[in-house]
Amino acid sequence: DGGITQSPKYLFRKEGQNVTLSCEQNLNHDAMYWYRQDPGQGLRLIYYSQIVNDFQKGDIAEGYSVSREKKESFPLTVTSAQKNPTAFYLCASGQLYEQYFGPGTRLTVT
Amino acid sequence: GENVEQHPSTLSVQEGDSAVIKCTYSDSASNYFPWYKQELGKGPQLIIDIRSNVGEKKDQRIAVTLNKTAKHFSLHITETQPEDSAVYFCAASTESRAGNQFYFGTGTSLTVIP
């Protein structure tokens, strides 16, 4: 997991509530990424950012939002518009080619 | 966009035997191919990677081979040990104006039987 931290490890929310997942890195990496992991489906890209104050949508951005106000931080908000938010969320950061992952946050929405 | 396929989805081997996991990709522009190991409830850990200008790379018991013409790459683990049991993901990365994007296979659950 190196210098990438995600908090909390487990998160529970009621349906209809927005929730923000934290991701911080102290590796001085320019790029940061958010993935969603569901059983049997591998990792799917939600959003990524190559530089502060700029980010791009990934393959499954609908119902999610991000910000990149600081190089070290890339928080992900799961909005009430996300139809199936229960999943394991992984943050990653990288420089040039390489990409390293945080420990993940398991979000359960009931 | 890129499409990465990974086989097999599950693999069981006896301790000491070798394990091979194969991936194919569709975008000839992909130029970086990492492999990750994920233990239960944890984030994936980068274990080895290969760039498109190299055909093979080895690190102790782990090796990766790349065939650019056929667009496939493989992970080889020799002398497997119980602690090698995990889910392994391959990925392909393509550079773009917006930076590198990574496309992942669906994972292989490896079980090493003592």
Side-chain angles (χ1 to χ4, degrees), chain A residues 1 9 33 35 37 40-43 45 48 50 56 59 88 90 96-104, chain B residues 31-32 36 38 41-44 46 49 51 89 93 95-96 98-107:
Chain A
D1 300 336
K9 188 171 178 64
Y33 306 80
Y35 293 90
Q37 187 174 32
Q41 294 195 44
L43 284 74
L45 182 65
Y48 65 106
Q50 298 291 328
Q56 284 77 42
D59 299 321
F88 189 49
L90 286 160
L96 297 177
Y97 286 101
E98 296 180 342
Q99 181 176 207
Y100 300 94
F101 285 86
Chain B
N31 53 13
Y32 173 65
Y36 291 88
Q38 185 177 27
K42 297 184 178 180
L46 178 66
D49 56 14
R51 288 175 172 70
F89 290 97
S93 177
E95 287 188 54
S96 71
N100 287 11
Q101 288 196 53
F102 291 77
Y103 299 88
F104 288 82
T106 51

mmCIF file of all heavy atoms in Angstrom, chain A residues 1 9 33 35 37 40-43 45 48 50 56 59 88 90 96-104, chain B residues 31-32 36 38 41-44 46 49 51 89 93 95-96 98-107:
data_model
loop_
_atom_site.group_PDB
_atom_site.id
_atom_site.type_symbol
_atom_site.label_atom_id
_atom_site.label_comp_id
_atom_site.label_asym_id
_atom_site.label_seq_id
_atom_site.Cartn_x
_atom_site.Cartn_y
_atom_site.Cartn_z
ATOM 1 N N ASP A 1 0.825 -1.212 0.000
ATOM 2 C CA ASP A 1 0.000 0.000 0.000
ATOM 3 C C ASP A 1 0.861 1.265 0.000
ATOM 4 O O ASP A 1 0.427 2.318 -0.434
ATOM 5 C CB ASP A 1 -0.931 0.047 1.201
ATOM 6 C CG ASP A 1 -1.868 -1.157 1.214
ATOM 7 O OD1 ASP A 1 -2.111 -1.729 0.139
ATOM 8 O OD2 ASP A 1 -2.340 -1.513 2.291
ATOM 9 N N LYS A 9 -11.872 2.213 6.319
ATOM 10 C CA LYS A 9 -11.760 0.906 5.687
ATOM 11 C C LYS A 9 -13.151 0.349 5.357
ATOM 12 O O LYS A 9 -13.358 -0.285 4.331
ATOM 13 C CB LYS A 9 -11.023 -0.064 6.609
ATOM 14 C CG LYS A 9 -10.685 -1.399 5.951
ATOM 15 C CD LYS A 9 -9.777 -2.219 6.854
ATOM 16 C CE LYS A 9 -9.478 -3.574 6.224
ATOM 17 N NZ LYS A 9 -8.721 -3.457 4.969
ATOM 18 N N TYR A 33 -6.117 7.989 -9.275
ATOM 19 C CA TYR A 33 -7.195 7.252 -9.928
ATOM 20 C C TYR A 33 -8.174 6.714 -8.888
ATOM 21 O O TYR A 33 -7.782 6.407 -7.762
ATOM 22 C CB TYR A 33 -6.633 6.036 -10.680
ATOM 23 C CG TYR A 33 -5.535 6.318 -11.668
ATOM 24 C CD1 TYR A 33 -4.221 6.507 -11.250
ATOM 25 C CD2 TYR A 33 -5.797 6.334 -13.035
ATOM 26 C CE1 TYR A 33 -3.207 6.740 -12.162
ATOM 27 C CE2 TYR A 33 -4.779 6.564 -13.956
ATOM 28 C CZ TYR A 33 -3.494 6.762 -13.517
ATOM 29 O OH TYR A 33 -2.493 6.989 -14.433
ATOM 30 N N TYR A 35 -11.022 3.515 -8.704
ATOM 31 C CA TYR A 35 -11.591 2.333 -9.329
ATOM 32 C C TYR A 35 -12.682 1.763 -8.430
ATOM 33 O O TYR A 35 -12.646 1.896 -7.212
ATOM 34 C CB TYR A 35 -10.535 1.239 -9.520
ATOM 35 C CG TYR A 35 -9.450 1.570 -10.502
ATOM 36 C CD1 TYR A 35 -8.281 2.197 -10.090
ATOM 37 C CD2 TYR A 35 -9.578 1.237 -11.848
ATOM 38 C CE1 TYR A 35 -7.280 2.492 -10.994
ATOM 39 C CE2 TYR A 35 -8.574 1.518 -12.758
ATOM 40 C CZ TYR A 35 -7.429 2.149 -12.322
ATOM 41 O OH TYR A 35 -6.433 2.430 -13.220
ATOM 42 N N GLN A 37 -14.430 -2.012 -7.627
ATOM 43 C CA GLN A 37 -14.229 -3.451 -7.801
ATOM 44 C C GLN A 37 -15.450 -4.206 -7.332
ATOM 45 O O GLN A 37 -15.871 -4.083 -6.182
ATOM 46 C CB GLN A 37 -12.986 -3.922 -7.035
ATOM 47 C CG GLN A 37 -12.631 -5.367 -7.320
ATOM 48 C CD GLN A 37 -11.314 -5.783 -6.685
ATOM 49 O OE1 GLN A 37 -10.933 -5.295 -5.632
ATOM 50 N NE2 GLN A 37 -10.601 -6.679 -7.337
ATOM 51 N N GLY A 40 -15.878 -10.666 -9.665
ATOM 52 C CA GLY A 40 -15.904 -11.211 -11.017
ATOM 53 C C GLY A 40 -15.816 -10.192 -12.131
ATOM 54 O O GLY A 40 -15.890 -10.557 -13.307
ATOM 55 N N GLN A 41 -15.649 -8.916 -11.783
ATOM 56 C CA GLN A 41 -15.624 -7.888 -12.838
ATOM 57 C C GLN A 41 -14.319 -7.116 -12.881
ATOM 58 O O GLN A 41 -14.214 -6.139 -13.593
ATOM 59 C CB GLN A 41 -16.783 -6.912 -12.649
ATOM 60 C CG GLN A 41 -18.141 -7.544 -12.842
ATOM 61 C CD GLN A 41 -19.232 -6.510 -12.998
ATOM 62 O OE1 GLN A 41 -19.074 -5.519 -13.709
ATOM 63 N NE2 GLN A 41 -20.360 -6.736 -12.333
ATOM 64 N N GLY A 42 -13.331 -7.510 -12.124
ATOM 65 C CA GLY A 42 -12.074 -6.785 -12.164
ATOM 66 C C GLY A 42 -12.217 -5.368 -11.634
ATOM 67 O O GLY A 42 -13.089 -5.072 -10.821
ATOM 68 N N LEU A 43 -11.383 -4.490 -12.123
ATOM 69 C CA LEU A 43 -11.364 -3.101 -11.678
ATOM 70 C C LEU A 43 -11.876 -2.208 -12.803
ATOM 71 O O LEU A 43 -11.407 -2.305 -13.936
ATOM 72 C CB LEU A 43 -9.939 -2.667 -11.305
ATOM 73 C CG LEU A 43 -9.373 -3.160 -9.985
ATOM 74 C CD1 LEU A 43 -8.998 -4.633 -10.035
ATOM 75 C CD2 LEU A 43 -8.153 -2.339 -9.603
ATOM 76 N N LEU A 45 -12.574 1.806 -14.002
ATOM 77 C CA LEU A 45 -12.119 3.162 -13.739
ATOM 78 C C LEU A 45 -13.291 4.114 -13.601
ATOM 79 O O LEU A 45 -14.145 4.195 -14.486
ATOM 80 C CB LEU A 45 -11.187 3.625 -14.869
ATOM 81 C CG LEU A 45 -10.581 5.010 -14.744
ATOM 82 C CD1 LEU A 45 -9.639 5.080 -13.544
ATOM 83 C CD2 LEU A 45 -9.846 5.362 -16.027
ATOM 84 N N TYR A 48 -10.048 9.809 -13.112
ATOM 85 C CA TYR A 48 -8.624 9.928 -12.914
ATOM 86 C C TYR A 48 -8.200 11.375 -13.102
ATOM 87 O O TYR A 48 -8.897 12.164 -13.752
ATOM 88 C CB TYR A 48 -7.825 8.984 -13.813
ATOM 89 C CG TYR A 48 -7.922 9.251 -15.295
ATOM 90 C CD1 TYR A 48 -6.860 9.819 -15.991
ATOM 91 C CD2 TYR A 48 -9.054 8.875 -16.018
ATOM 92 C CE1 TYR A 48 -6.932 10.039 -17.362
ATOM 93 C CE2 TYR A 48 -9.134 9.085 -17.379
ATOM 94 C CZ TYR A 48 -8.081 9.656 -18.054
ATOM 95 O OH TYR A 48 -8.151 9.869 -19.408
ATOM 96 N N GLN A 50 -4.582 13.793 -13.724
ATOM 97 C CA GLN A 50 -3.143 13.835 -14.013
ATOM 98 C C GLN A 50 -2.471 15.053 -13.393
ATOM 99 O O GLN A 50 -1.238 15.124 -13.326
ATOM 100 C CB GLN A 50 -2.921 13.852 -15.525
ATOM 101 C CG GLN A 50 -3.444 12.611 -16.236
ATOM 102 C CD GLN A 50 -2.635 11.375 -15.902
ATOM 103 O OE1 GLN A 50 -1.446 11.430 -15.655
ATOM 104 N NE2 GLN A 50 -3.288 10.214 -15.886
ATOM 105 N N GLN A 56 -10.539 13.630 -15.365
ATOM 106 C CA GLN A 56 -11.293 13.100 -16.495
ATOM 107 C C GLN A 56 -12.180 11.945 -16.047
ATOM 108 O O GLN A 56 -11.828 11.196 -15.128
ATOM 109 C CB GLN A 56 -10.352 12.585 -17.597
ATOM 110 C CG GLN A 56 -9.703 13.658 -18.425
ATOM 111 C CD GLN A 56 -8.573 14.323 -17.685
ATOM 112 O OE1 GLN A 56 -7.786 13.650 -17.026
ATOM 113 N NE2 GLN A 56 -8.498 15.633 -17.772
ATOM 114 N N ASP A 59 -14.669 4.988 -17.226
ATOM 115 C CA ASP A 59 -15.718 4.232 -17.899
ATOM 116 C C ASP A 59 -17.060 4.250 -17.167
ATOM 117 O O ASP A 59 -18.106 4.037 -17.773
ATOM 118 C CB ASP A 59 -15.264 2.777 -18.077
ATOM 119 C CG ASP A 59 -14.017 2.674 -18.922
ATOM 120 O OD1 ASP A 59 -13.904 3.437 -19.901
ATOM 121 O OD2 ASP A 59 -13.134 1.848 -18.606
ATOM 122 N N PHE A 88 -16.352 -2.310 -3.437
ATOM 123 C CA PHE A 88 -15.021 -2.057 -2.884
ATOM 124 C C PHE A 88 -14.373 -0.991 -3.753
ATOM 125 O O PHE A 88 -14.251 -1.165 -4.966
ATOM 126 C CB PHE A 88 -14.227 -3.360 -2.894
ATOM 127 C CG PHE A 88 -12.917 -3.321 -2.159
ATOM 128 C CD1 PHE A 88 -12.845 -2.805 -0.872
ATOM 129 C CD2 PHE A 88 -11.763 -3.816 -2.735
ATOM 130 C CE1 PHE A 88 -11.645 -2.785 -0.179
ATOM 131 C CE2 PHE A 88 -10.559 -3.797 -2.044
ATOM 132 C CZ PHE A 88 -10.499 -3.283 -0.764
ATOM 133 N N LEU A 90 -11.218 1.451 -4.734
ATOM 134 C CA LEU A 90 -9.754 1.507 -4.671
ATOM 135 C C LEU A 90 -9.245 2.805 -5.267
ATOM 136 O O LEU A 90 -9.638 3.200 -6.363
ATOM 137 C CB LEU A 90 -9.158 0.332 -5.437
ATOM 138 C CG LEU A 90 -9.278 -1.019 -4.744
ATOM 139 C CD1 LEU A 90 -9.127 -2.148 -5.753
ATOM 140 C CD2 LEU A 90 -8.234 -1.162 -3.654
ATOM 141 N N LEU A 96 4.406 8.536 -14.345
ATOM 142 C CA LEU A 96 4.728 7.943 -15.637
ATOM 143 C C LEU A 96 3.905 6.667 -15.813
ATOM 144 O O LEU A 96 2.692 6.697 -15.772
ATOM 145 C CB LEU A 96 6.226 7.686 -15.745
ATOM 146 C CG LEU A 96 7.118 8.928 -15.702
ATOM 147 C CD1 LEU A 96 8.580 8.571 -15.744
ATOM 148 C CD2 LEU A 96 6.754 9.876 -16.830
ATOM 149 N N TYR A 97 4.565 5.517 -15.987
ATOM 150 C CA TYR A 97 3.823 4.297 -16.258
ATOM 151 C C TYR A 97 3.224 3.660 -15.020
ATOM 152 O O TYR A 97 2.143 3.114 -15.060
ATOM 153 C CB TYR A 97 4.752 3.264 -16.896
ATOM 154 C CG TYR A 97 5.088 3.549 -18.337
ATOM 155 C CD1 TYR A 97 6.299 4.124 -18.673
ATOM 156 C CD2 TYR A 97 4.198 3.214 -19.351
ATOM 157 C CE1 TYR A 97 6.615 4.369 -19.999
ATOM 158 C CE2 TYR A 97 4.515 3.448 -20.676
ATOM 159 C CZ TYR A 97 5.723 4.027 -20.994
ATOM 160 O OH TYR A 97 6.040 4.269 -22.297
ATOM 161 N N GLU A 98 3.934 3.690 -13.907
ATOM 162 C CA GLU A 98 3.558 2.832 -12.791
ATOM 163 C C GLU A 98 2.357 3.359 -12.024
ATOM 164 O O GLU A 98 2.101 4.550 -11.975
ATOM 165 C CB GLU A 98 4.757 2.666 -11.862
ATOM 166 C CG GLU A 98 5.908 1.952 -12.537
ATOM 167 C CD GLU A 98 7.098 1.777 -11.623
ATOM 168 O OE1 GLU A 98 7.170 2.484 -10.612
ATOM 169 O OE2 GLU A 98 7.950 0.936 -11.930
ATOM 170 N N GLN A 99 1.648 2.439 -11.404
ATOM 171 C CA GLN A 99 0.453 2.757 -10.645
ATOM 172 C C GLN A 99 0.436 1.891 -9.394
ATOM 173 O O GLN A 99 0.632 0.680 -9.472
ATOM 174 C CB GLN A 99 -0.795 2.489 -11.495
ATOM 175 C CG GLN A 99 -2.099 2.818 -10.808
ATOM 176 C CD GLN A 99 -3.287 2.618 -11.741
ATOM 177 O OE1 GLN A 99 -4.322 3.243 -11.594
ATOM 178 N NE2 GLN A 99 -3.145 1.747 -12.711
ATOM 179 N N TYR A 100 0.173 2.529 -8.250
ATOM 180 C CA TYR A 100 0.153 1.828 -6.969
ATOM 181 C C TYR A 100 -1.180 2.069 -6.288
ATOM 182 O O TYR A 100 -1.744 3.159 -6.378
ATOM 183 C CB TYR A 100 1.302 2.324 -6.077
ATOM 184 C CG TYR A 100 2.657 2.097 -6.692
ATOM 185 C CD1 TYR A 100 3.269 3.096 -7.441
ATOM 186 C CD2 TYR A 100 3.320 0.881 -6.548
ATOM 187 C CE1 TYR A 100 4.502 2.891 -8.029
ATOM 188 C CE2 TYR A 100 4.560 0.674 -7.135
ATOM 189 C CZ TYR A 100 5.138 1.680 -7.871
ATOM 190 O OH TYR A 100 6.369 1.459 -8.462
ATOM 191 N N PHE A 101 -1.659 1.045 -5.589
ATOM 192 C CA PHE A 101 -2.992 1.106 -5.001
ATOM 193 C C PHE A 101 -2.961 1.324 -3.489
ATOM 194 O O PHE A 101 -2.038 0.901 -2.800
ATOM 195 C CB PHE A 101 -3.743 -0.199 -5.279
ATOM 196 C CG PHE A 101 -4.229 -0.310 -6.692
ATOM 197 C CD1 PHE A 101 -3.411 -0.813 -7.681
ATOM 198 C CD2 PHE A 101 -5.504 0.124 -7.030
ATOM 199 C CE1 PHE A 101 -3.846 -0.906 -8.991
ATOM 200 C CE2 PHE A 101 -5.952 0.035 -8.337
ATOM 201 C CZ PHE A 101 -5.117 -0.475 -9.324
ATOM 202 N N GLY A 102 -4.026 1.950 -3.006
ATOM 203 C CA GLY A 102 -4.269 2.037 -1.574
ATOM 204 C C GLY A 102 -4.954 0.780 -1.083
ATOM 205 O O GLY A 102 -5.217 -0.144 -1.858
ATOM 206 N N PRO A 103 -5.278 0.726 0.226
ATOM 207 C CA PRO A 103 -5.857 -0.486 0.810
ATOM 208 C C PRO A 103 -7.341 -0.670 0.525
ATOM 209 O O PRO A 103 -7.879 -1.747 0.765
ATOM 210 C CB PRO A 103 -5.613 -0.295 2.309
ATOM 211 C CG PRO A 103 -5.568 1.186 2.475
ATOM 212 C CD PRO A 103 -4.946 1.726 1.227
ATOM 213 N N GLY A 104 -8.016 0.360 0.029
ATOM 214 C CA GLY A 104 -9.423 0.223 -0.337
ATOM 215 C C GLY A 104 -10.397 0.605 0.765
ATOM 216 O O GLY A 104 -10.065 0.588 1.960
ATOM 217 N N ASN B 31 1.302 -0.018 -24.304
ATOM 218 C CA ASN B 31 2.757 -0.155 -24.260
ATOM 219 C C ASN B 31 3.322 -0.480 -22.887
ATOM 220 O O ASN B 31 4.536 -0.480 -22.685
ATOM 221 C CB ASN B 31 3.410 1.116 -24.801
ATOM 222 C CG ASN B 31 2.901 2.362 -24.100
ATOM 223 O OD1 ASN B 31 2.258 2.280 -23.064
ATOM 224 N ND2 ASN B 31 3.197 3.516 -24.665
ATOM 225 N N TYR B 32 2.437 -0.735 -21.929
ATOM 226 C CA TYR B 32 2.909 -1.063 -20.579
ATOM 227 C C TYR B 32 1.947 -2.075 -19.984
ATOM 228 O O TYR B 32 0.722 -1.880 -20.035
ATOM 229 C CB TYR B 32 2.964 0.205 -19.728
ATOM 230 C CG TYR B 32 3.278 -0.028 -18.267
ATOM 231 C CD1 TYR B 32 4.517 -0.537 -17.867
ATOM 232 C CD2 TYR B 32 2.343 0.268 -17.288
ATOM 233 C CE1 TYR B 32 4.802 -0.741 -16.528
ATOM 234 C CE2 TYR B 32 2.626 0.063 -15.949
ATOM 235 C CZ TYR B 32 3.847 -0.436 -15.582
ATOM 236 O OH TYR B 32 4.133 -0.647 -14.257
ATOM 237 N N TYR B 36 -0.676 -7.474 -11.012
ATOM 238 C CA TYR B 36 -0.942 -7.167 -9.617
ATOM 239 C C TYR B 36 -1.404 -8.423 -8.881
ATOM 240 O O TYR B 36 -2.097 -9.270 -9.439
ATOM 241 C CB TYR B 36 -2.044 -6.107 -9.495
ATOM 242 C CG TYR B 36 -1.634 -4.740 -9.976
ATOM 243 C CD1 TYR B 36 -1.778 -4.382 -11.313
ATOM 244 C CD2 TYR B 36 -1.103 -3.801 -9.094
ATOM 245 C CE1 TYR B 36 -1.404 -3.130 -11.762
ATOM 246 C CE2 TYR B 36 -0.724 -2.545 -9.537
ATOM 247 C CZ TYR B 36 -0.883 -2.214 -10.871
ATOM 248 O OH TYR B 36 -0.502 -0.969 -11.304
ATOM 249 N N GLN B 38 -3.566 -9.471 -5.472
ATOM 250 C CA GLN B 38 -4.479 -8.928 -4.481
ATOM 251 C C GLN B 38 -4.871 -10.007 -3.480
ATOM 252 O O GLN B 38 -5.471 -11.017 -3.840
ATOM 253 C CB GLN B 38 -5.735 -8.353 -5.139
ATOM 254 C CG GLN B 38 -6.662 -7.654 -4.153
ATOM 255 C CD GLN B 38 -7.864 -7.016 -4.828
ATOM 256 O OE1 GLN B 38 -8.307 -7.449 -5.882
ATOM 257 N NE2 GLN B 38 -8.394 -5.959 -4.223
ATOM 258 N N GLY B 41 -9.404 -8.646 0.847
ATOM 259 C CA GLY B 41 -9.677 -7.427 1.601
ATOM 260 C C GLY B 41 -8.618 -6.362 1.505
ATOM 261 O O GLY B 41 -8.686 -5.346 2.212
ATOM 262 N N LYS B 42 -7.621 -6.542 0.618
ATOM 263 C CA LYS B 42 -6.544 -5.562 0.485
ATOM 264 C C LYS B 42 -6.504 -4.976 -0.922
ATOM 265 O O LYS B 42 -7.159 -5.468 -1.833
ATOM 266 C CB LYS B 42 -5.203 -6.227 0.812
ATOM 267 C CG LYS B 42 -5.094 -6.724 2.245
ATOM 268 C CD LYS B 42 -3.710 -7.268 2.519
ATOM 269 C CE LYS B 42 -3.576 -7.720 3.968
ATOM 270 N NZ LYS B 42 -2.217 -8.252 4.260
ATOM 271 N N GLY B 43 -5.727 -3.926 -1.088
ATOM 272 C CA GLY B 43 -5.536 -3.350 -2.402
ATOM 273 C C GLY B 43 -4.549 -4.167 -3.222
ATOM 274 O O GLY B 43 -3.693 -4.851 -2.673
ATOM 275 N N PRO B 44 -4.647 -4.118 -4.547
ATOM 276 C CA PRO B 44 -3.700 -4.835 -5.404
ATOM 277 C C PRO B 44 -2.281 -4.322 -5.216
ATOM 278 O O PRO B 44 -2.061 -3.121 -5.027
ATOM 279 C CB PRO B 44 -4.212 -4.539 -6.817
ATOM 280 C CG PRO B 44 -5.640 -4.144 -6.641
ATOM 281 C CD PRO B 44 -5.701 -3.449 -5.320
ATOM 282 N N LEU B 46 1.517 -4.234 -6.974
ATOM 283 C CA LEU B 46 2.282 -4.430 -8.199
ATOM 284 C C LEU B 46 3.403 -5.436 -7.952
ATOM 285 O O LEU B 46 4.214 -5.262 -7.036
ATOM 286 C CB LEU B 46 2.876 -3.102 -8.655
ATOM 287 C CG LEU B 46 3.761 -3.124 -9.900
ATOM 288 C CD1 LEU B 46 2.951 -3.484 -11.131
ATOM 289 C CD2 LEU B 46 4.445 -1.777 -10.092
ATOM 290 N N ASP B 49 6.171 -5.920 -13.995
ATOM 291 C CA ASP B 49 5.622 -5.214 -15.141
ATOM 292 C C ASP B 49 6.564 -5.362 -16.322
ATOM 293 O O ASP B 49 7.730 -5.753 -16.169
ATOM 294 C CB ASP B 49 5.375 -3.738 -14.822
ATOM 295 C CG ASP B 49 6.631 -3.020 -14.333
ATOM 296 O OD1 ASP B 49 7.752 -3.556 -14.478
ATOM 297 O OD2 ASP B 49 6.484 -1.906 -13.781
ATOM 298 N N ARG B 51 7.415 -3.497 -20.355
ATOM 299 C CA ARG B 51 7.126 -2.485 -21.356
ATOM 300 C C ARG B 51 7.201 -3.110 -22.744
ATOM 301 O O ARG B 51 7.803 -4.169 -22.932
ATOM 302 C CB ARG B 51 8.088 -1.319 -21.219
ATOM 303 C CG ARG B 51 7.797 -0.482 -19.991
ATOM 304 C CD ARG B 51 8.809 0.624 -19.762
ATOM 305 N NE ARG B 51 8.448 1.540 -18.700
ATOM 306 C CZ ARG B 51 8.425 1.254 -17.407
ATOM 307 N NH1 ARG B 51 8.725 0.055 -17.012
ATOM 308 N NH2 ARG B 51 8.071 2.173 -16.520
ATOM 309 N N PHE B 89 -4.226 -9.938 -11.193
ATOM 310 C CA PHE B 89 -4.812 -9.128 -12.266
ATOM 311 C C PHE B 89 -3.731 -8.708 -13.247
ATOM 312 O O PHE B 89 -2.650 -8.254 -12.836
ATOM 313 C CB PHE B 89 -5.464 -7.857 -11.709
ATOM 314 C CG PHE B 89 -6.713 -8.095 -10.924
ATOM 315 C CD1 PHE B 89 -6.672 -8.175 -9.544
ATOM 316 C CD2 PHE B 89 -7.935 -8.216 -11.568
ATOM 317 C CE1 PHE B 89 -7.823 -8.388 -8.801
ATOM 318 C CE2 PHE B 89 -9.098 -8.428 -10.834
ATOM 319 C CZ PHE B 89 -9.033 -8.519 -9.449
ATOM 320 N N SER B 93 -1.811 -0.637 -20.405
ATOM 321 C CA SER B 93 -1.873 0.818 -20.279
ATOM 322 C C SER B 93 -1.542 1.479 -21.592
ATOM 323 O O SER B 93 -0.616 1.064 -22.298
ATOM 324 C CB SER B 93 -0.904 1.294 -19.196
ATOM 325 O OG SER B 93 -0.912 2.696 -19.112
ATOM 326 N N GLU B 95 -0.940 5.325 -23.384
ATOM 327 C CA GLU B 95 -0.741 6.752 -23.178
ATOM 328 C C GLU B 95 -1.767 7.526 -23.987
ATOM 329 O O GLU B 95 -2.139 7.131 -25.083
ATOM 330 C CB GLU B 95 0.650 7.160 -23.619
ATOM 331 C CG GLU B 95 1.737 6.707 -22.677
ATOM 332 C CD GLU B 95 3.072 7.306 -23.055
ATOM 333 O OE1 GLU B 95 3.138 8.537 -23.172
ATOM 334 O OE2 GLU B 95 4.018 6.531 -23.245
ATOM 335 N N SER B 96 -2.228 8.635 -23.416
ATOM 336 C CA SER B 96 -3.136 9.509 -24.145
ATOM 337 C C SER B 96 -2.799 10.938 -23.756
ATOM 338 O O SER B 96 -1.977 11.183 -22.879
ATOM 339 C CB SER B 96 -4.594 9.182 -23.794
ATOM 340 O OG SER B 96 -4.874 9.586 -22.467
ATOM 341 N N ALA B 98 -4.511 12.848 -22.116
ATOM 342 C CA ALA B 98 -4.947 13.059 -20.724
ATOM 343 C C ALA B 98 -4.149 12.200 -19.758
ATOM 344 O O ALA B 98 -4.460 12.174 -18.582
ATOM 345 C CB ALA B 98 -6.431 12.769 -20.608
ATOM 346 N N GLY B 99 -3.120 11.491 -20.254
ATOM 347 C CA GLY B 99 -2.324 10.651 -19.376
ATOM 348 C C GLY B 99 -2.621 9.189 -19.560
ATOM 349 O O GLY B 99 -3.450 8.803 -20.367
ATOM 350 N N ASN B 100 -1.938 8.348 -18.780
ATOM 351 C CA ASN B 100 -2.102 6.902 -18.931
ATOM 352 C C ASN B 100 -3.419 6.426 -18.359
ATOM 353 O O ASN B 100 -3.827 6.826 -17.275
ATOM 354 C CB ASN B 100 -0.962 6.181 -18.205
ATOM 355 C CG ASN B 100 0.340 6.301 -18.938
ATOM 356 O OD1 ASN B 100 0.448 7.085 -19.868
ATOM 357 N ND2 ASN B 100 1.308 5.527 -18.522
ATOM 358 N N GLN B 101 -4.074 5.559 -19.107
ATOM 359 C CA GLN B 101 -5.232 4.848 -18.581
ATOM 360 C C GLN B 101 -4.865 3.377 -18.485
ATOM 361 O O GLN B 101 -4.131 2.860 -19.310
ATOM 362 C CB GLN B 101 -6.437 5.002 -19.506
ATOM 363 C CG GLN B 101 -7.040 6.382 -19.493
ATOM 364 C CD GLN B 101 -8.429 6.387 -20.092
ATOM 365 O OE1 GLN B 101 -9.288 5.612 -19.675
ATOM 366 N NE2 GLN B 101 -8.655 7.246 -21.072
ATOM 367 N N PHE B 102 -5.405 2.721 -17.482
ATOM 368 C CA PHE B 102 -5.125 1.318 -17.243
ATOM 369 C C PHE B 102 -6.411 0.519 -17.445
ATOM 370 O O PHE B 102 -7.462 0.884 -16.929
ATOM 371 C CB PHE B 102 -4.593 1.098 -15.829
ATOM 372 C CG PHE B 102 -3.227 1.660 -15.610
ATOM 373 C CD1 PHE B 102 -3.034 3.020 -15.416
ATOM 374 C CD2 PHE B 102 -2.110 0.835 -15.595
ATOM 375 C CE1 PHE B 102 -1.770 3.547 -15.224
ATOM 376 C CE2 PHE B 102 -0.836 1.350 -15.392
ATOM 377 C CZ PHE B 102 -0.667 2.705 -15.204
ATOM 378 N N TYR B 103 -6.294 -0.581 -18.159
ATOM 379 C CA TYR B 103 -7.431 -1.475 -18.403
ATOM 380 C C TYR B 103 -7.072 -2.841 -17.827
ATOM 381 O O TYR B 103 -6.024 -3.397 -18.148
ATOM 382 C CB TYR B 103 -7.724 -1.577 -19.898
ATOM 383 C CG TYR B 103 -8.085 -0.246 -20.503
ATOM 384 C CD1 TYR B 103 -7.099 0.602 -20.985
ATOM 385 C CD2 TYR B 103 -9.410 0.169 -20.571
ATOM 386 C CE1 TYR B 103 -7.416 1.835 -21.520
ATOM 387 C CE2 TYR B 103 -9.743 1.394 -21.114
ATOM 388 C CZ TYR B 103 -8.743 2.233 -21.587
ATOM 389 O OH TYR B 103 -9.072 3.443 -22.115
ATOM 390 N N PHE B 104 -7.970 -3.356 -16.988
ATOM 391 C CA PHE B 104 -7.665 -4.552 -16.212
ATOM 392 C C PHE B 104 -8.403 -5.779 -16.727
ATOM 393 O O PHE B 104 -9.540 -5.688 -17.226
ATOM 394 C CB PHE B 104 -8.041 -4.338 -14.748
ATOM 395 C CG PHE B 104 -7.115 -3.406 -14.030
ATOM 396 C CD1 PHE B 104 -7.264 -2.036 -14.135
ATOM 397 C CD2 PHE B 104 -6.066 -3.904 -13.265
ATOM 398 C CE1 PHE B 104 -6.402 -1.164 -13.489
ATOM 399 C CE2 PHE B 104 -5.191 -3.051 -12.612
ATOM 400 C CZ PHE B 104 -5.353 -1.678 -12.733
ATOM 401 N N GLY B 105 -7.756 -6.930 -16.590
ATOM 402 C CA GLY B 105 -8.440 -8.196 -16.776
ATOM 403 C C GLY B 105 -9.350 -8.464 -15.592
ATOM 404 O O GLY B 105 -9.338 -7.734 -14.602
ATOM 405 N N THR B 106 -10.125 -9.529 -15.686
ATOM 406 C CA THR B 106 -11.123 -9.821 -14.651
ATOM 407 C C THR B 106 -10.561 -10.640 -13.492
ATOM 408 O O THR B 106 -11.282 -10.964 -12.566
ATOM 409 C CB THR B 106 -12.325 -10.554 -15.250
ATOM 410 O OG1 THR B 106 -11.853 -11.668 -16.014
ATOM 411 C CG2 THR B 106 -13.130 -9.631 -16.149
ATOM 412 N N GLY B 107 -9.286 -10.962 -13.540
ATOM 413 C CA GLY B 107 -8.647 -11.603 -12.397
ATOM 414 C C GLY B 107 -8.597 -13.115 -12.469
ATOM 415 O O GLY B 107 -9.458 -13.757 -13.075
#
